[in-house]
Amino acid sequence: MLSESFEVIDPRFTSLVFENVHVEKLWTGARWTEGPAYVAAAKHLLFSDIPNDRVMRYDEVSGTVSVFETPCGFQNGRTVDPQGRVVACEHGGRRVSRREHDGTVTVLASSYNGKKLNSPNDVVVRSDGSIWFTDPTYGIDSDYEGHMATSEIGGSNVYRIDPESREIAAVATDFAKPNGLAFSLDEKQLYISDTGLSHDPDGPHHIRVFDIAASGRELSNGRVFATCDAGVFDGFRLDCLGNIWASAGDGVHCFAPDGTLLGKIKIPEAVANVDFGGINRNRIFITATQSLYSVYVRVNGARNLARRVG
Ligand code: MG
């Protein structure tokens, strides 16, 4: 008998979770949590409280949450790159930046074709060093999660930063509101969510998957991978078996690589993002509206190719 924290939709889900493990509520007190990123070397999880313009830090050793940085440029999504550096999306600065090991900040992208980015939302780094990010308008739609402004680009695109030339290229331009993104285990495919439902009752609320060209520079063959039955998929991550754990309005939805919905982790607040953490990467951290939750699972989070072969 599984704990009430889980809903099994496909029997395969029972091999991924523990019968007697429950979701833990670690902290509350934010306005909108996002951007969880587990920094293994520091044994802490960084996450955003976007409307309050602060980065929070969950110390896994002491179990305490404190303010890591404020103001922070209304940071949203973030990731840890293969070198262990934190790469973050900033609504306020309308840029993607990287915190170097010495504490300095490097701006990786702030414009495209001479026009300011909208408000970068989420980011992933491929093992070849390329950085891929989404750029919807949530941070410029109002002054709540950034600074209200008109889009200079006039669209919400997905971009790739070249690791050598640092050139920024648009790799997908047919999204309403591109949001979370993650690579397949072999990094030959890229999953990207579209949260266009937030601006249009008939808008998209799905994850699409694309093939990455052998050059590593272009996407093709985009098709819908899964459609959300409770709100939208915002951020999501893969486990080491290739299953996708996606944020949704009623919790975290787990999909098999073939797109079958296996089950849900039930959370009493709308979920914006997740990350696998803990030293063994078997603890899912969940940012959900005002709070931070976690749950241990049987499966470990994916590591990108650079870390798996290194
Ligand atoms: Mg997002």
Side-chain angles (χ1 to χ4, degrees), residues 32 34-35 50 76-77 91 120-123 134 136 138 178-181 193 195 233-236 247 272-273:
W32 185 257
E34 245 285 8
I50 305 175
N76 188 338
H91 283 181
N121 189 292
D122 218 338
V123 58
T134 55
Y138 297 107
N179 205 313
L181 65 183
S193 68
T195 50
F233 298 129
D234 194 330
F236 55 94
S247 62
N273 215 329

Side-chain angles (χ1 to χ4, degrees), residues 212-235:
I212 301 175
S215 67
R217 295 169 178 269
E218 290 163 9
L219 301 179
S220 65
N221 192 26
R223 63 272 188 196
V224 173
F225 169 76
T227 299
C228 192
D229 64 14
V232 296
F233 298 129
D234 194 330

Side-chain angles (χ1 to χ4, degrees), residues 61 68 88 130-131 163 192 229 237 248 258 270 276 305 307:
V61 178
F68 182 76
S130 58
I131 298 164
I192 309 170
D229 64 14
R237 311 274 186 186
D258 66 6
F276 283 88
L305 285 176
R307 282 191 235 165

